[in-house]
Amino acid sequence: MIELLELGWRGHRHLLSMDQFSRKDVEDILFFSRKLAPYSGEGAVFSYLMGRWLKPLFFETSTRTLDRHTSAIQTMGGGYNTPLNPENSTMNDKQEKEMDIVIDAAQSSDILAIRHPKSGSVSEFAKVIDNLKNNKARIISCGDGPNEHPTQTLLDFYTVMEGLGTLDSLIWLIVGDLEYGRTVHSLVKGITKFSNNMVVGFPVGGLQLPQQYRPDGYKEFDLAMLPKIIGNVDFNSKIVLYATRVQAEKIARKRDRLYDAYDKEAKQKIQSDIYQEFRYQITPGILDVAPHQTKLLHPLPRGDEISDEIFLSHDTKISPIKQMRYGIQVTMAYLALFSGLEERLHEPEKYLIKQPVRFKS
Ligand code: CP
């Protein structure tokens, strides 16, 4: 008998913004992520997405987001088509329209994981896909310019839940490039779905959180105030210290419309100068005075804002490597949910076709 599966999840065909989710939606994605955690990255294979194809369409570079999508789809039993490489595609030497590349991917793939340097672009692609006849492709936004990166927020929230056990009554100290950092924009939208949270921004070099993303009660302080403020909060408070990279390439594009036409060397020089201009660092001293229930998160990639010493430390306050690890089960969960498989996710063992290989630690 042929089963009819829901197109998308709870009325959402595509995953485009944290705005689209209710608190319950977020909690359920995290619930199913936890259910799948014992099978992520351990050689397990499920039948959930057997015969389904994911197309990575990264019009902008990625390391983590691309990898976790290709790992997650394969663990769930599906496959992925060759990731788009804009440099080596028909976009480059035949000037094919980006839209046509997206439409083409929707013919051979069930899920399109799209990242693009322009705000709003991924939602525009989704509208075109919605209007195609007899097409059921879903789009997962992997970041649209400086606007949003909703799947990063889902894995950030998972990390906070694992570390602090709640997404309510937290103090969120968000540091770095709040203007162009899309992970910050999705994060603050997500935080507003939960209760009694305080959000405080510490922008570097005037890169403030734009008005449209500011939650109620939002406060912003000079970055120099961070050690004093974090050292003076109630010692029993639960703190998320969220550090971000300065988005040098986006700042460069804003300052110089010709930036994308420069050669690699010239671009690297411009970026290095911008990193130097906006340089900041979360020092061991800041973490020492922070309450014991503090978690330092960073969406990565990192620049100098977190030293190797802190990044590689086994201190329980330091979470960026955990964020990368947790990203796989979170991605497995939303790929299955947006493929209409919520009911089946309650019983992962039933759909396991290859047992995980357990290593002795
Ligand atoms: N956090 C994140 O989006 O990393 P990538 O740019 O490597 O995908």
Side-chain angles (χ1 to χ4, degrees), residues 58 61-66 115 149 152 182-183 299-301:
F58 283 68
T61 55
S62 166
T63 299
R64 280 145 291 274
T65 313
L66 173 59
R115 170 173 290 181
H149 190 349
Q152 178 69 41
R182 58 190 167 207
T183 64
L300 303 173

Side-chain angles (χ1 to χ4, degrees), residues 179-313:
E179 182 171 352
Y180 296 101
R182 58 190 167 207
T183 64
V184 171
H185 305 158
S186 285
L187 186 76
V188 290
K189 285 183 177 195
I191 293 168
T192 59
K193 299 177 193 302
F194 293 84
S195 304
N196 201 28
N197 282 293
M198 184 189 288
V199 183
V200 185
F202 295 88
V204 64
L207 298 171
Q208 295 178 304
L209 189 65
Q211 287 296 335
Q212 73 263 31
Y213 301 111
R214 292 188 179 199
D216 286 346
Y218 175 75
K219 290 189 183 63
E220 219 164 64
F221 291 97
D222 192 284
L223 185 51
M225 296 289 289
L226 177 62
K228 195 169 173 196
I229 288 176
I230 201 167
N232 279 310
V233 290
D234 180 333
F235 206 67
N236 292 316
S237 304
K238 293 184 175 181
I239 312 279
V240 181
L241 178 58
Y242 194 92
T244 59
R245 176 181 75 94
V246 170
Q247 306 279 312
E249 71 288 3
K250 297 190 181 81
I251 295 170
R253 266 186 209 116
K254 189 91 175 177
R255 287 181 176 178
D256 183 351
R257 288 190 319 132
L258 296 177
Y259 171 77
D260 280 314
Y262 296 147
D263 64 23
K264 192 173 163 191
E265 207 174 317
K267 281 183 184 166
Q268 280 177 346
K269 165 87 174 72
I270 293 169
Q271 286 199 19
S272 299
D273 289 348
I274 292 173
Y275 283 131
Q276 211 47 46
E277 182 182 338
F278 291 99
R279 191 180 178 281
Y280 78 95
Q281 195 160 59
I282 303 293
T283 60
I286 292 173
L287 291 168
D288 285 347
V289 296
H292 63 288
Q293 295 191 92
T294 296
K295 298 293 170 193
L296 170 66
L297 272 70
H298 191 307
L300 303 173
R302 72 185 157 114
D304 281 343
E305 59 279 358
I306 297 184
S307 66
D308 290 352
E309 182 196 351
I310 290 182
F311 184 67
L312 298 172
S313 157

Side-chain angles (χ1 to χ4, degrees), residues 100-167:
D100 293 3
I101 287 177
V102 175
I103 292 171
D104 173 69
Q107 309 313 307
S108 53
S109 308
D110 305 279
I111 303 169
L112 316 182
I114 307 185
R115 170 173 290 181
H116 193 281
K118 190 166 158 250
S119 290
S121 53
V122 183
S123 297
E124 290 301 317
F125 292 139
K127 279 186 206 150
V128 173
I129 297 297
D130 285 342
N131 282 324
L132 293 179
K133 270 194 167 171
N134 299 322
N135 193 284
K136 297 183 174 51
R138 301 133 178 92
I139 290 180
I140 308 290
S141 172
C142 295
D144 62 321
N147 180 34
E148 272 209 63
H149 190 349
T151 69
Q152 178 69 41
T153 296
L154 296 172
L155 73 92
D156 293 342
F157 279 179
Y158 186 94
T159 310
V160 173
M161 284 296 291
E162 289 298 297
L164 298 174
T166 181
L167 289 165

Side-chain angles (χ1 to χ4, degrees), residues 64-107:
R64 280 145 291 274
T65 313
L66 173 59
D67 283 349
R68 66 183 165 82
H69 279 84
T70 53
S71 297
I73 187 85
Q74 291 180 100
T75 306
M76 296 304 265
Y80 66 94
N81 297 110
T82 314
L84 172 76
N85 174 359
E87 302 282 306
N88 189 22
S89 79
T90 43
M91 259 173 71
N92 190 10
D93 64 341
K94 297 176 184 138
Q95 298 186 10
E96 183 165 15
K97 288 188 175 127
E98 291 175 346
M99 187 62 74
D100 293 3
I101 287 177
V102 175
I103 292 171
D104 173 69
Q107 309 313 307

